[in-house]
Amino acid sequence: MNRRGFIQQAAIAGSWAAVGSTVASCATAAKGYADKHFQINMGYYRIPKLRLSMDRIVRETVGLRPFRAIGPRLESERLGNKTLVHNYGHGGSGWSLSWGSGMLARDEVMKTGVKQVAVLGAGTIGLTTARLLQDKGVEVTIYAKDVAPNITSSLATGTWSPSSRVCDPQKATPEFKAWWEKATALSFRAFQFQLGLNDIISWVDEYNVFNEAPSERPNSEIFADLPGMVPERIMLSKKEHPFKADYVSRRSNVMINIPTYLHKHMTDFLLFGGKVKIHEIKKLEDIDALPEKCVVNCMGLGAKAIFNDDHLTPVSGQLSCLIPQPEVTYKLNTKGASIISRKDGIYLGGNGIVGNWDTTPSREQTEKVVGILQKLMEDMRS
Ligand SMILES: Cc1cc2nc3c(=O)[nH]c(=O)nc-3n(C[C@H](O)[C@H](O)[C@H](O)COP(=O)(O)OP(=O)(O)OC[C@H]3O[C@@H](n4cnc5c(N)ncnc54)[C@H](O)[C@@H]3O)c2cc1C
């Protein structure tokens, strides 16, 4: 079939984002909790200092978040004699939404009754969707141009952030909001069942350290934290923290240890009989040529060229990785920089450039972030 015929036969079968249901929260939001790091004698939370210098930076990367202002593409389409289920464009929230988005995509696949399914892409979205399909007895082959660590998912920080650059709240529809709430709740629950599995998921302390009062982003309340998930952020008094800053808050948050996490789920996928084929899709006809009658498109930013998706744009983010420091287990956000402590390293980040396709790391950006955080550490009470 040629490209024109293929496109002509395409008919949107229905947006699976239009789930229209509200989320039942798992529990009521915690109002406060005991904390083993609160040192009664010292009078403030014990926060180990980061050893920061340019020679401790072992890796710099730039990843491209697959952003769509209207939200991810979540719809089914007929392409020739195939059903194509789209599941891409999750912006800065792909890790967080992966399980919920995968479950809702799986519902679409199950409606077709097809038992051999192709998943395009081996990032967090593709791998999760593939595993979820296997759990329902579906035989899955993943077709991907690249696998970890040469994928965007390997270049992320991996924190629970389901509303981070997931859409422009002013452009999101009520249907998308309903989908987002459902996907967020499903994902959060799925992550909690992965605690204790060789630390692929952990809970960490997260600090916001600012000199100015935090300003609300426009429409941020539309995609605010849902109740019953991460505990509320608590403002700390000067006595309760060691930072030289006027506005310091703290909460617990979920961290995904990306390398071990991807390894575990890929291993599980293979153990369940899944196949992975390194295969680049260059045009729509390449999808038509696949033997499977149902295809789930989890190609992230790679979907842009194949589907002429004008909505999809990169938002680049640079991370600079420090040598791991086992006592440093927290996450911290301050003006212009952030610290994300994982098992495989301590990641320094903090930027997002809309429309930037350049994945060359900038030494200046690393120096800037290191400088901001060095000052913050120097000013800290020890
Ligand atoms: C710096 C940074 C920090 C981030 N932090 C967080 C965070 O803290 N929390 C969070 O939830 N999210 C975060 N994200 C966002 C998250 O990483 C992405 O939303 C997510 O990785 C997207 O996953 P994906 O599977 O859709 O895409 P990818 O990981 O890009 O995977 C796409 C797959 O499709 C394949 N593919 C692409 N094109 C083709 C083709 N033509 N043919 C065949 N295969 C193809 C690729 O090879 C790959 O296997 C961050 C992103 C960045 C860059």
Side-chain angles (χ1 to χ4, degrees), residues 62-66 87-97 120-127 143-147 150-162 164 256 279-282 298-303 306 315-319 331 351:
V62 177
L64 305 179
R65 302 170 181 91
N87 187 14
Y88 71 85
H90 297 74
S93 299
W95 273 102
S96 311
L97 293 171
L120 309 181
T124 184
I125 300 291
L127 194 52
Y143 298 88
K145 183 160 65 81
D146 291 299
V147 293
N150 301 315
I151 52 177
T152 298
S153 298
S154 293
L155 308 179
T157 53
T159 359
W160 175 253
S161 59
S164 170
I256 302 154
H279 180 80
E280 181 172 2
I281 304 293
K282 293 190 173 142
C298 307
M299 289 194 288
L301 208 51
I306 312 299
V315 179
S316 70
Q318 176 161 329
L319 294 177
K331 182 172 185 293
N351 74 340

Side-chain angles (χ1 to χ4, degrees), residues 82-104:
K82 290 191 200 307
T83 300
L84 181 56
V85 178
H86 295 289
N87 187 14
Y88 71 85
H90 297 74
S93 299
W95 273 102
S96 311
L97 293 171
S98 54
W99 290 95
S101 197
M103 285 179 209
L104 298 171

Side-chain angles (χ1 to χ4, degrees), residues 187-201:
S187 264
F188 186 80
R189 187 173 159 76
F191 280 124
Q192 299 319 302
F193 280 102
Q194 299 178 51
L195 284 163
L197 292 171
N198 293 330
D199 275 342
I200 60 170
I201 298 293

